[in-house]
Structure formats: C-alpha cells, structure tokens
C-alpha cells in the first residue's frame, strides 16, 4: 500500500512508526511489552511473510511473540504469545530462503532453530550447542546471520564460526578465533 514502517523497541514495548512521509512520521501502533518495565532494555525483531517476530533479553516473563502486520495500515494483532520454547532470547534471525528462525542466547541454550513453514506456529528443529566445549562465557552465540543454511555465529570471546546447517549434523566449516586486538565478537 506504498507505506513504509519503522519498528522500535523501548522499555514499554514495541512502537510501529509510519515513516512513509519522513517529515510527517507518526506512531501508528504500539504493542505493550509482555513485561513493560525499565528492566527490559533489549528487544529484538525480525519480519517474515508479513509477520513480526519479537523477543526480549531481560526479565523472566518475556516470550516469543508474533504479530500479524498483513493488515497495516489498518491494524496489527498479536497472533502468537508463548514461552513454550524460551522465556527470553538475546537475538533472533530468520533465514528467509529456508524459513528457519535462529534464536541466540535463550534462557536455556546457546542457540535454537525453528521452522517457520507455518509462520504463526514455530516448530522446534534443534538446539545447536557444538560450541559447548568452550567456557560458557565464550561459547555463547551472541548474534547470528544466516543465508541458505550457512550461519555466521558471533560467539563472544570465542570468535566467529561459520556453520553449515543444511545437514542433519551441522558442521563448522570455518572459524576466526585468533586475530590481532581480538575482543568480544558481538555481531557481524
């Protein structure tokens, strides 16, 4: 409908701004956070097939939430709100070529993978914890980028790992773990 939207997280929840006319931008919708509290300072989002996937990293009552955005500019609605798979996640990424969502730094694991074949009913595929032999602070997958089942895992102090998820048994195909002035591999 020739509209453009920006999505911004705050401690209160999720703000959807209509930025179609940048000089006249306005908040079109607000979705209160599961935990609308100053405690929640990190929210992460990805969109896929007209749905917005939302997670938060803090709090014990956060959930994976899916919002139907197919009816913008008229309405948005939460169509999935569950802690079935995790209560919190640091980051998510959706590989649109394979309809898979990767959830990093959940409350239970380093990274979980879900099928989005049905966009409003995620289906758990697997937990990836092959970095488990590293110290917890180093093996943590902080952020991920995935395209065609090839994942680039930013694993904090452990470095960068490239993993092929096209197989039943994912394989590390490359890594960058030692380099000058190495710090915390935060995102990439």
């Amino acid at each position: 409908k020739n509209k453009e939207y920006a999505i911004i997280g705050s401690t209160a929840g999720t703000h959807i701004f209509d930025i179609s006319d940048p000089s006249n931008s306005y908040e079109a919708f607000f979705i209160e956070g599961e935990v609308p509290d100053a405690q929640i300072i990190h929210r992460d989002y990805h969109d896929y097939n007209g749905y917005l996937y939302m997670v938060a990293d803090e709090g014990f009552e956060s959930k994976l939430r899916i919002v139907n955005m197919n009816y913008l500019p008229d309405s948005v609605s939460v169509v999935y709100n569950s802690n079935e798979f995790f209560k919190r996640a640091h980051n998510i990424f959706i590989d649109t070529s394979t309809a898979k969502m990767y959830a990093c730094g959940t409350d239970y694991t380093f990274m979980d993978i879900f099928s989005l074949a049905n966009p409003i009913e995620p289906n758990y595929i697997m937990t990836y914890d092959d970095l488990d032999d590293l110290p917890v602070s180093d093996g943590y997958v902080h952020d991920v980028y995935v395209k065609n089942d090839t994942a680039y895992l930013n694993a904090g102090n452990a470095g960068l790992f490239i993993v092929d998820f096209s197989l039943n048994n994912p394989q590390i195909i490359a890594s960058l773990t030692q380099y000058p002035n190495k710090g915390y591999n935060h995102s990439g």
Side-chain angles (χ1 to χ4, degrees):
K1 298 180 181 182
N2 297 325
K3 295 279 192 174
E4 188 169 0
Y5 297 93
I7 297 163
I8 299 172
S10 73
T11 57
T14 302
H15 307 264
I16 301 174
F17 290 89
D18 185 326
I19 59 169
S20 304
D21 177 0
S23 60
N24 292 306
S25 298
Y26 64 93
E27 184 176 82
F29 295 96
F30 172 73
I31 302 162
E32 185 174 17
E34 188 70 25
V35 181
D37 186 326
Q39 174 187 17
I40 308 296
I41 59 169
H42 183 274
R43 297 184 191 275
D44 196 42
Y45 307 95
H46 260 272
D47 66 309
Y48 175 66
N49 277 359
Y51 296 93
L52 178 66
Y53 297 78
M54 308 168 19
V55 296
D57 192 9
E58 296 88 16
F60 295 105
E61 299 302 322
S62 297
K63 300 174 182 175
L64 171 62
R65 299 175 92 188
I66 303 172
V67 173
N68 186 342
M69 297 191 311
N70 286 296
Y71 301 106
L72 283 171
D74 300 320
S75 68
V76 296
S77 61
V78 176
V79 294
Y80 181 92
N81 186 27
S82 175
N83 64 3
E84 174 185 358
F85 301 116
F86 52 82
K87 292 182 182 177
R88 60 190 174 136
H90 183 69
N91 278 323
I92 55 174
F93 190 87
I94 297 174
D95 182 355
T96 59
S97 64
T98 61
K100 291 179 187 171
M101 179 178 72
Y102 295 74
C104 301
T106 69
D107 44 338
Y108 305 118
T109 66
F110 291 149
M111 189 173 73
D112 293 325
I113 304 167
F114 303 89
S115 169
L116 298 179
N118 179 342
I120 62 172
E121 291 186 22
N123 186 29
Y124 172 82
I125 296 174
M126 68 174 294
T127 293
Y128 182 71
D129 59 2
D130 277 4
L131 305 177
D132 221 9
D133 60 331
L134 300 171
V136 171
S137 62
D138 290 342
Y140 169 72
V141 177
H142 185 79
D143 190 38
V144 63
Y145 172 85
V146 190
K147 186 169 185 178
N148 296 319
D149 282 325
T150 300
Y152 300 83
L153 307 179
N154 298 280
N157 293 317
L160 174 72
F161 295 82
I162 303 170
V163 180
D164 181 353
F165 281 98
S166 65
L167 310 169
N168 288 336
N169 182 22
Q171 298 294 313
I172 296 175
I173 54 178
S175 65
L176 181 59
T177 59
Q178 298 298 320
Y179 47 91
N181 301 313
K182 179 183 167 228
Y184 190 87
N185 196 295
H186 182 266
S187 64

